[in-house]
Amino acid sequence: MSLEKLDKRDRQILNLLQDNGRLSNAELAERVNLSPSACLRRVKQLEDSGLVAGYHMHLDMKACGMSGAAFVFVTLDGQGRDSLARFERAIKDINEIQDCYLLAGQYDYLLRVIYRNAADLERIHHDILTNLPGVVRVNSTLTLRAVKHTGKLTV
């Protein structure tokens, strides 16, 4: 199912669930003016179509003891398929690296890294980032505060 084939109710369902993934089926059905069984059927079809990538809980970074985030630009010693694959495999299980994007341009990757304090950031930089396969340079930019953070897509 593609976005072009969605009707108004499907779009409402997707937008409401992006705002609050914990809405009960009964409440969701009422908001989109459907019976609970018809609403549940539509949600199941949307999930099965691949439009819904999953459901998750968003934790507050500071409440979890993480005082900061840094965006880290990474340059590798080569851009061959094997070099990229080694780097990507190595970062998969590093919890401090929250996001990783392959870039086109001056840098090879952009990482979003979270840390507890300055000493923790230094540990991550020295012990983790600079020791990843193929890394020749890291350039970090520290955030002061998040002004907007959303994963919501308007459908």
Side-chain angles (χ1 to χ4, degrees):
M1 180 182 300
S2 66
L3 282 178
E4 296 79 30
K5 294 181 180 179
L6 297 180
D7 66 13
K8 180 181 176 184
R9 284 203 175 111
D10 289 333
R11 291 174 187 276
Q12 286 177 306
I13 288 169
L14 290 171
N15 286 320
L16 287 166
L17 287 175
Q18 283 185 95
D19 288 337
N20 181 359
R22 294 190 65 178
L23 278 177
S24 70
N25 184 61
E27 188 173 352
L28 181 61
E30 184 177 316
R31 289 192 187 185
V32 298
N33 199 28
L34 285 172
S35 70
S37 60
C39 184
L40 188 59
R41 204 169 27 256
R42 283 184 182 241
V43 170
K44 178 76 171 124
Q45 286 174 336
L46 291 166
E47 290 170 345
D48 291 345
S49 76
L51 284 172
V52 178
Y55 297 89
H56 72 276
M57 179 182 294
H58 182 84
L59 299 178
D60 183 271
M61 211 174 84
K62 290 194 191 307
C64 291
M66 298 296 173
S67 68
F71 287 94
V72 181
F73 293 98
V74 175
T75 303
L76 300 182
D77 57 6
Q79 288 77 37
R81 190 171 300 182
D82 290 340
S83 295
L84 300 179
R86 275 193 303 278
F87 177 83
E88 291 173 14
R89 275 193 307 274
I91 62 104
K92 290 282 187 201
D93 295 324
I94 300 172
N95 293 329
E96 293 90 346
I97 299 174
Q98 295 285 291
D99 299 303
C100 176
Y101 302 93
L102 177 63
L103 303 177
Q106 181 178 359
Y107 302 102
D108 296 312
Y109 288 94
L110 173 63
L111 312 176
R112 184 174 62 87
V113 174
I114 57 171
Y115 57 91
R116 296 183 187 289
N117 52 40
D120 192 36
L121 179 59
E122 182 179 2
R123 174 192 64 81
I124 294 165
H125 176 81
H126 184 266
D127 295 345
I128 297 173
L129 299 176
T130 58
N131 287 311
L132 289 167
V135 170
V136 294
R137 180 173 295 115
V138 295
N139 184 342
S140 300
T141 301
L142 305 183
T143 64
L144 298 177
R145 66 183 163 96
V147 176
K148 180 178 179 179
H149 178 76
T150 183
K152 183 177 180 179
L153 300 174
T154 303
V155 293

